[in-house]
Each structure stands twice: as structure tokens, then as C-alpha cells.
């Protein structure tokens, strides 16, 4: 295990340059003291590693030092061909680069590992868009990806839910979710999320920007999703639901709602149970809960119950008349 950790530390130093002992300890899931001992071991083995003190200090390799690390295991080699991001790379203008990189990697592998790696690309495939929906094909995506990589500001004409406006944005990162592309972009001191398909015009500017040193795209995205869901489901409905309705909940409610449903009391003699469910606006919630039909009754709030009554009465009136 220690040999594997030392190799991991060496790879990290080559890839990132300066790395602190705390960062290495977190990545390797060991104590900082263990990292100190590991660095002494690397130095004793002839690896030219040294440390710099201070706020921006850390461990580094001597400039220009590279170690040939060809010892991929069979599982590691196969895992590289399970990334399945060829389609997304093509959208970003990197399709040929990914294909060339895979060919070079395949050629460098020993024959015993090469066949297993080739099998992975034929046995596992990533299809990102949700069922019955199409992936975004934004016309400016490749140019936007280039601006993200080279840290160029962009000027966009953007259509939000409320209006169109022109903004200058520092593009920090791109995320694809359910086939839709989103940009995490900084405007002044704020980082905001923009759907790329709503960019009506885009110009890559010559002006560079400096990335915030503490910005982490995966962390930002998860926090952004959490805030959006908290805003979307900012109320609670008290309902009474049948056993059949409970079985349908997974199909009709979002994972966010399902995780926060709370049973109230005990089921009655027919198995109906009171439950609290996170909900959003009255109209949206009524439309959502009506999908459970007569297997769910809204008890509160009164505004949601009234909306359910109005919508069901309108449906009953519509279907009580002969079709035309």
C-alpha cells in the first residue's frame, strides 16, 4: 500500500507542480505526519523533491524532472477506456484529440492489456441525455470551451426567463447535465450559472481573466443544485396517500422531494398514510400531484387544496361533455 501511495504522490507532483502536505494527506487519506515520512522516503530514493515554506509553499519536483510511469495495471488501463466522453469531447471541439489520445495510449499498452482496454469501449457507453429528450447542440459551445481553456472573457447576448441582456463573463467551467450544457461564469464578484443554449450571440474577447484560486467546479455545481432545489421546493404540503400512491411516488416525485418526505402518524385500516411532501408553487405542485389521481388527497395548505379542486372540477366538466 505504501508503494502505491508513493507512486500516487509522485504522479500528483508531476501533474500539479506545488502541492502542500495537507493536500497530499487528504488525497491519500493519511495523516500529514505520514506524508512527511513519505517525502523523506522519496528523497532517499533519489527523487529530486524539495519543500518551500510560507503561505504559498509546498512540495515540488526539481524543474524539468520527469519520471516515466508506465506501470498501469490491467484494471487501470481498462478504466481509462470507460470514460465514455467521446460525444461530449466532440461537442467541445476536442473529438479528434480524444480519439488520438486513446490511440496513442492503446499503442503504448502491453499486448496483454491492449485487448482488455479495447473491449471496454465496446461494452460500456455513456448516453447522457434523459429519456425522450434531445441533447443540446449550442452553436457557440466549441468557442466557449476554447475560452474556458484559455481564460478569455466572453461577451454574450443571453435570454433568461425574464429578459434579454448583454453581459461580459469570465467563463470558469462547463457542466453537462441530462444532455444540457451549463456555464459557470463570473460577473464581477459573483459566480452564476448560464444555460449555453440560451446564448443568442457570443464573442470571445482578447481580454484574459484570472481564475479565483479557491473556485472548484464540482463543489460549485453541487452547491448550485442544492440552492436551486431549496428555492424550487420552498413549501410543504400535508397529504393523505394510499398504498398504491406510495408505490407511485418514485415515478412522480423528484429525488430531492423523496429524500425529504416525512410520514405522519400511523396508516389507517385501509393503509392510507398522512405525509409531508416538499412542494413549490401552487400551480406547479397541483399539476405534479394530480398525476397520482385518486391515490392522493391534499389536506394543506388550503391554497393548494383549492387549486386541486379547481383543476379536477375543470377536468370533470371537460370529460362530461360528448367529444366533438
Amino acid at each position: 500500500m505504501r508503494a502505491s501511495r508513493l507512486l500516487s504522490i509522485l504522479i500528483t507532483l508531476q501533474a500539479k507542480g506545488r502541492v502542500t502536505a495537507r493536500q497530499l494527506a487528504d488525497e491519500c487519506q493519511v495523516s500529514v505526519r505520514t506524508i512527511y515520512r513519505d517525502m523523506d522516503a522519496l528523497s532517499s530514493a533519489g527523487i529530486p523533491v524539495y519543500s518551500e515554506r510560507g503561505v504559498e509553499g509546498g512540495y515540488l519536483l526539481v524543474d524539468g524532472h520527469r519520471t516515466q510511469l508506465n506501470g498501469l495495471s490491467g484494471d487501470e488501463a481498462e478504466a481509462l477506456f470507460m470514460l465514455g466522453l467521446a460525444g461530449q469531447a466532440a461537442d467541445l471541439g476536442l473529438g479528434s484529440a480524444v480519439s488520438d489520445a486513446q490511440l496513442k495510449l492503446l499503442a503504448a499498452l502491453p499486448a496483454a492489456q491492449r485487448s482488455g482496454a479495447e473491449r471496454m469501449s465496446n461494452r460500456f457507453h455513456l448516453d447522457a441525455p434523459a429519456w425522450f429528450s434531445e441533447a443540446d447542440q449550442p452553436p457557440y459551445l466549441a468557442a466557449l470551451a476554447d475560452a474556458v481553456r484559455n481564460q478569455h472573457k466572453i461577451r454574450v447576448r443571453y435570454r433568461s426567463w425574464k429578459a434579454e441582456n448583454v453581459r461580459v463573463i469570465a467563463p470558469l467551467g462547463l457542466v453537462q447535465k441530462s444532455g444540457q450544457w451549463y456555464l459557470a461564469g463570473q460577473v464581477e464578484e459573483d459566480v452564476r450559472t448560464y444555460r449555453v443554449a440560451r446564448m443568442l450571440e457570443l464573442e470571445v474577447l482578447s481580454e484574459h481573466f484570472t481564475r479565483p484560486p479557491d473556485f472548484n467546479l464540482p463543489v460549485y455545481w453541487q452547491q448550485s443544485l442544492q440552492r436551486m432545489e431549496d428555492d424550487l421546493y420552498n413549501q410543504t404540503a400535508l397529504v393523505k396517500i394510499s398504498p398504491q400512491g406510495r408505490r407511485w411516488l418514485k415515478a412522480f416525485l423528484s429525488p430531492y422531494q423523496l429524500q425529504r418526505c416525512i410520514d405522519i402518524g400511523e396508516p389507517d385500516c385501509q393503509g392510507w398514510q398522512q405525509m409531508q411532501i416538499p412542494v413549490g408553487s401552487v400551480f406547479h405542485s397541483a399539476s405534479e400531484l394530480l398525476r397520482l389521481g385518486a391515490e392522493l388527497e391534499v389536506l394543506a395548505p388550503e391554497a393548494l387544496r383549492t387549486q386541486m379542486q379547481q383543476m379536477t372540477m375543470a377536468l370533470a366538466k371537460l370529460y362530461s361533455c360528448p367529444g366533438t
Side-chain angles (χ1 to χ4, degrees):
M1 290 181 65
R2 189 187 188 196
S4 176
R5 187 173 69 247
L6 292 174
L7 182 59
S8 176
I9 290 172
L10 187 52
I11 292 172
T12 301
L13 290 172
Q14 289 190 176
K16 297 184 177 180
R18 181 184 287 102
V19 187
T20 67
R22 169 50 59 192
Q23 289 172 326
L24 290 170
D26 291 343
E27 287 191 16
C28 297
Q29 297 182 343
V30 296
S31 68
V32 173
R33 280 184 162 280
T34 298
I35 294 299
Y36 292 154
R37 290 194 294 268
D38 288 343
M39 302 311 293
D40 289 340
L42 286 173
S43 181
S44 298
I47 303 297
V49 60
Y50 67 98
S51 63
E52 287 186 350
R53 298 183 180 276
V55 177
E56 297 183 357
Y59 287 104
L60 302 93
L61 290 170
V62 171
D63 289 346
H65 176 80
R66 304 292 295 176
T67 300
Q68 297 299 318
L69 302 172
N70 297 324
L72 285 176
S73 69
D75 287 346
E76 290 168 344
E78 291 181 3
L80 289 174
F81 284 82
M82 289 181 64
L83 295 178
L85 299 177
Q88 288 80 355
D91 291 342
L92 297 173
L94 297 172
S96 60
V98 170
S99 298
D100 291 346
Q102 286 186 331
L103 285 173
K104 290 177 181 178
L105 176 60
L106 195 63
L109 290 174
Q113 296 177 359
R114 195 177 304 151
S115 59
E118 288 178 316
R119 284 198 303 269
M120 291 303 102
S121 60
N122 290 325
R123 298 186 184 184
F124 297 91
H125 174 67
L126 173 66
D127 185 11
W131 282 102
F132 312 115
S133 64
E134 295 184 356
D136 271 349
Q137 296 294 331
Y140 304 110
L141 184 58
L144 180 55
D146 188 67
V148 170
R149 290 198 304 273
N150 295 300
Q151 294 183 211
H152 281 277
K153 288 188 176 182
I154 58 173
R155 181 183 290 111
V156 298
R157 183 163 64 91
Y158 186 79
R159 182 183 67 246
S160 67
W161 290 107
K162 299 179 180 179
E164 289 185 13
N165 50 61
V166 176
R167 293 176 180 167
V168 173
I169 302 172
L172 302 178
L174 285 164
V175 175
Q176 189 188 59
K177 181 175 177 62
S178 300
Q180 317 299 322
W181 285 98
Y182 298 88
L183 171 72
Q186 186 176 27
V187 177
E188 297 178 350
E189 298 301 319
D190 296 330
V191 179
R192 309 172 187 175
T193 302
Y194 303 89
R195 183 168 169 182
V196 179
R198 294 199 183 122
M199 293 181 178
L200 306 178
E201 295 178 4
L202 182 144
E203 178 188 0
V204 179
L205 305 178
S206 59
E207 181 183 358
H208 285 81
F209 67 90
T210 302
R211 292 176 63 83
D214 58 346
F215 179 76
N216 182 297
L217 182 61
V219 171
Y220 165 79
W221 182 252
Q222 291 303 317
Q223 292 174 345
S224 178
L225 290 180
Q226 183 69 49
R227 287 193 299 270
M228 182 184 69
E229 290 175 325
D230 288 343
D231 291 341
L232 181 61
Y233 301 109
N234 57 2
Q235 303 180 65
T236 300
L238 177 64
V239 305
K240 186 165 68 173
I241 189 167
S242 72
Q244 179 62 51
R246 290 183 73 96
R247 289 190 286 269
W248 287 351
L249 282 181
K250 287 187 178 180
F252 295 138
L253 296 187
S254 71
Y256 178 92
Q257 291 172 291
L258 290 170
Q259 292 171 6
R260 291 160 178 78
C261 288
I262 301 174
D263 291 338
I264 306 297
E266 298 294 330
D268 63 19
C269 59
Q270 295 181 318
W272 283 68
Q273 171 90 48
Q274 287 194 13
M275 177 184 291
Q276 286 184 344
I277 298 177
V279 294
S281 68
V282 169
F283 181 82
H284 177 268
S285 301
S287 303
E288 190 174 58
L289 296 178
L290 273 176
R291 292 185 293 176
L292 285 101
E295 304 300 326
L296 176 143
E297 178 187 359
V298 172
L299 304 177
E302 189 61 34
L304 179 57
R305 183 177 174 87
T306 300
Q307 182 68 40
M308 296 281 285
Q309 291 172 339
Q310 293 173 351
M311 294 174 77
T312 52
M313 289 173 62
L315 280 171
K317 181 178 179 180
L318 179 65
Y319 284 100
S320 65
C321 301
T324 56

Coordinates of all heavy atoms in Angstrom, one line a residue, residues 17-53:
G17 N 2.6 20.2 -9.9 CA 3.6 21.1 -9.5 C 3.7 21.2 -8.0 O 4.0 20.2 -7.3
R18 N 3.4 22.4 -7.4 CA 3.5 22.6 -6.0 C 2.2 22.0 -5.3 O 1.1 22.4 -5.7 CB 3.6 24.1 -5.7 CG 3.7 24.4 -4.2 CD 3.8 25.9 -3.9 NE 5.1 26.5 -4.3 CZ 5.3 27.1 -5.5 NH1 4.2 27.3 -6.3 NH2 6.4 27.6 -5.8
V19 N 2.4 21.2 -4.3 CA 1.3 20.6 -3.5 C 1.7 20.6 -2.1 O 2.8 20.3 -1.7 CB 1.1 19.1 -4.0 CG1 -0.2 18.6 -3.3 CG2 0.9 19.0 -5.5
T20 N 0.7 21.0 -1.2 CA 1.0 21.0 0.2 C 0.9 19.6 0.8 O 0.2 18.7 0.3 CB 0.0 22.0 0.9 OG1 -1.3 21.4 0.9 CG2 0.1 23.4 0.3
A21 N 1.5 19.5 2.0 CA 1.4 18.2 2.7 C -0.1 17.9 3.1 O -0.5 16.7 3.0 CB 2.3 18.3 4.0
R22 N -0.8 18.9 3.4 CA -2.2 18.7 3.8 C -3.0 18.2 2.6 O -3.8 17.3 2.7 CB -2.8 20.0 4.3 CG -4.4 20.0 4.5 CD -4.9 18.8 5.2 NE -4.3 18.7 6.6 CZ -4.5 17.6 7.3 NH1 -5.1 16.6 6.8 NH2 -4.0 17.6 8.5
Q23 N -2.8 18.8 1.4 CA -3.5 18.3 0.2 C -3.1 16.9 -0.1 O -4.0 16.1 -0.5 CB -3.1 19.2 -1.0 CG -3.7 20.6 -0.9 CD -3.1 21.5 -2.0 OE1 -1.9 21.4 -2.4 NE2 -3.9 22.5 -2.5
L24 N -1.9 16.5 0.0 CA -1.5 15.1 -0.3 C -2.1 14.2 0.8 O -2.5 13.1 0.4 CB 0.1 15.0 -0.2 CG 0.8 15.7 -1.4 CD1 2.3 15.7 -1.1 CD2 0.5 15.0 -2.7
A25 N -2.1 14.6 2.0 CA -2.7 13.8 3.1 C -4.2 13.6 2.8 O -4.7 12.4 3.0 CB -2.5 14.5 4.5
D26 N -4.9 14.6 2.4 CA -6.3 14.5 2.1 C -6.5 13.5 0.9 O -7.5 12.7 0.9 CB -7.0 15.8 1.8 CG -7.0 16.7 3.0 OD1 -6.9 16.2 4.1 OD2 -7.2 17.9 2.9
E27 N -5.7 13.7 -0.2 CA -5.9 12.8 -1.3 C -5.6 11.4 -1.0 O -6.2 10.4 -1.5 CB -5.0 13.3 -2.5 CG -5.5 14.6 -3.1 CD -4.7 14.9 -4.4 OE1 -4.0 14.0 -4.9 OE2 -4.8 16.0 -4.9
C28 N -4.6 11.1 -0.2 CA -4.1 9.8 0.1 C -4.8 9.2 1.3 O -4.7 8.0 1.7 CB -2.6 9.7 0.4 SG -1.6 10.2 -1.1
Q29 N -5.6 10.0 2.0 CA -6.4 9.6 3.2 C -5.4 9.1 4.3 O -5.7 8.0 4.9 CB -7.5 8.6 2.8 CG -8.5 9.1 1.9 CD -9.6 8.1 1.6 OE1 -9.4 6.9 1.8 NE2 -10.7 8.6 1.1
V30 N -4.4 9.8 4.6 CA -3.4 9.5 5.6 C -3.2 10.8 6.4 O -3.7 11.9 6.1 CB -2.1 8.9 5.1 CG1 -2.4 7.6 4.4 CG2 -1.4 9.9 4.1
S31 N -2.4 10.7 7.5 CA -2.0 11.9 8.3 C -0.9 12.7 7.6 O -0.2 12.2 6.7 CB -1.6 11.4 9.7 OG -0.3 10.8 9.6
V32 N -0.8 13.9 8.0 CA 0.3 14.8 7.5 C 1.6 14.2 7.9 O 2.6 14.3 7.1 CB 0.1 16.2 8.0 CG1 1.3 17.1 7.6 CG2 -1.2 16.8 7.5
R33 N 1.7 13.6 9.1 CA 3.0 13.0 9.5 C 3.4 11.9 8.6 O 4.6 11.8 8.3 CB 2.8 12.5 10.9 CG 2.9 13.5 12.0 CD 2.9 12.8 13.4 NE 3.4 13.7 14.4 CZ 4.6 13.9 14.7 NH1 5.5 13.3 14.0 NH2 5.0 14.6 15.7
T34 N 2.4 11.1 8.1 CA 2.8 10.1 7.2 C 3.3 10.6 5.9 O 4.2 10.1 5.3 CB 1.5 9.2 6.9 OG1 1.1 8.6 8.1 CG2 1.8 8.1 5.9
I35 N 2.7 11.7 5.4 CA 3.2 12.4 4.2 C 4.7 12.9 4.4 O 5.5 12.7 3.5 CB 2.3 13.6 3.8 CG1 0.9 13.0 3.4 CG2 2.9 14.4 2.6 CD1 0.9 12.1 2.2
Y36 N 5.0 13.4 5.6 CA 6.4 13.8 5.8 C 7.3 12.7 5.7 O 8.4 12.8 5.1 CB 6.5 14.4 7.2 CG 5.8 15.7 7.4 CD1 5.3 16.1 8.7 CD2 5.5 16.6 6.4 CE1 4.7 17.3 8.9 CE2 4.9 17.8 6.6 CZ 4.4 18.2 7.8 OH 3.8 19.4 8.0
R37 N 6.9 11.5 6.2 CA 7.8 10.3 6.1 C 7.9 9.8 4.7 O 8.9 9.4 4.2 CB 7.2 9.2 7.0 CG 7.4 9.5 8.5 CD 7.1 8.2 9.3 NE 5.8 7.8 9.2 CZ 4.8 8.1 10.1 NH1 5.1 9.0 11.1 NH2 3.6 7.7 10.0
D38 N 6.8 9.9 3.9 CA 6.8 9.5 2.5 C 7.7 10.4 1.7 O 8.4 9.9 0.8 CB 5.4 9.6 1.9 CG 4.5 8.5 2.5 OD1 5.0 7.5 3.0 OD2 3.3 8.5 2.3
M39 N 7.7 11.7 2.0 CA 8.6 12.6 1.2 C 10.0 12.3 1.5 O 10.9 12.4 0.6 CB 8.2 14.1 1.6 CG 6.8 14.5 1.3 SD 6.2 14.0 -0.3 CE 7.1 15.0 -1.4
D40 N 10.3 12.0 2.8 CA 11.7 11.6 3.1 C 12.1 10.3 2.4 O 13.3 10.2 1.9 CB 11.8 11.4 4.6 CG 11.8 12.7 5.5 OD1 12.0 13.7 4.9 OD2 11.4 12.6 6.7
A41 N 11.2 9.4 2.2 CA 11.5 8.2 1.5 C 11.7 8.4 0.1 O 12.6 7.8 -0.5 CB 10.3 7.2 1.7
L42 N 10.9 9.3 -0.6 CA 11.2 9.7 -2.0 C 12.5 10.3 -2.2 O 13.2 10.0 -3.1 CB 10.0 10.6 -2.5 CG 8.7 10.0 -2.7 CD1 7.6 11.0 -3.0 CD2 8.7 8.9 -3.8
S43 N 12.9 11.2 -1.3 CA 14.1 11.9 -1.4 C 15.3 10.9 -1.2 O 16.3 11.0 -1.9 CB 14.2 13.0 -0.3 OG 15.5 13.7 -0.4
S44 N 15.2 10.0 -0.3 CA 16.2 9.0 -0.1 C 16.4 8.0 -1.3 O 17.4 7.5 -1.5 CB 15.9 8.1 1.2 OG 15.8 8.9 2.3
A45 N 15.3 7.9 -2.0 CA 15.3 7.0 -3.2 C 15.8 7.7 -4.4 O 15.9 7.2 -5.5 CB 13.9 6.5 -3.5
G46 N 16.3 9.0 -4.2 CA 16.9 9.7 -5.4 C 15.9 10.6 -6.1 O 16.3 11.2 -7.2
I47 N 14.7 10.7 -5.7 CA 13.7 11.6 -6.4 C 14.0 13.0 -5.9 O 14.0 13.3 -4.7 CB 12.3 11.2 -6.0 CG1 12.0 9.8 -6.4 CG2 11.3 12.2 -6.8 CD1 12.1 9.4 -7.9
P48 N 14.3 14.0 -6.9 CA 14.7 15.3 -6.5 C 13.5 16.2 -6.1 O 13.0 17.0 -6.8 CB 15.3 15.9 -7.8 CG 14.6 15.1 -8.9 CD 14.3 13.7 -8.3
V49 N 13.0 15.9 -4.9 CA 11.8 16.6 -4.3 C 12.3 17.5 -3.2 O 13.2 17.2 -2.5 CB 10.7 15.6 -3.8 CG1 11.3 14.7 -2.7 CG2 9.5 16.4 -3.3
Y50 N 11.7 18.7 -3.2 CA 12.1 19.7 -2.1 C 10.9 20.4 -1.7 O 9.8 20.4 -2.3 CB 13.2 20.6 -2.6 CG 12.8 21.6 -3.7 CD1 12.4 22.9 -3.4 CD2 12.7 21.2 -5.0 CE1 12.0 23.8 -4.3 CE2 12.3 22.1 -6.0 CZ 11.9 23.4 -5.7 OH 11.5 24.2 -6.7
S51 N 11.0 21.1 -0.6 CA 9.9 21.9 0.0 C 10.2 23.3 0.1 O 11.3 23.8 0.2 CB 9.6 21.3 1.4 OG 10.6 21.6 2.3
E52 N 9.1 24.1 -0.1 CA 9.2 25.6 0.1 C 8.3 26.0 1.2 O 7.1 25.6 1.3 CB 8.7 26.3 -1.2 CG 9.8 26.2 -2.3 CD 9.3 27.0 -3.5 OE1 8.2 27.5 -3.6 OE2 10.2 27.2 -4.5
R53 N 8.8 26.9 2.1 CA 8.0 27.3 3.2 C 7.1 28.5 2.9 O 7.3 29.1 1.8 CB 8.9 27.7 4.4 CG 9.7 26.5 4.9 CD 10.5 26.9 6.1 NE 11.3 25.7 6.6 CZ 10.8 24.8 7.4 NH1 9.6 24.9 7.9 NH2 11.6 23.8 7.9

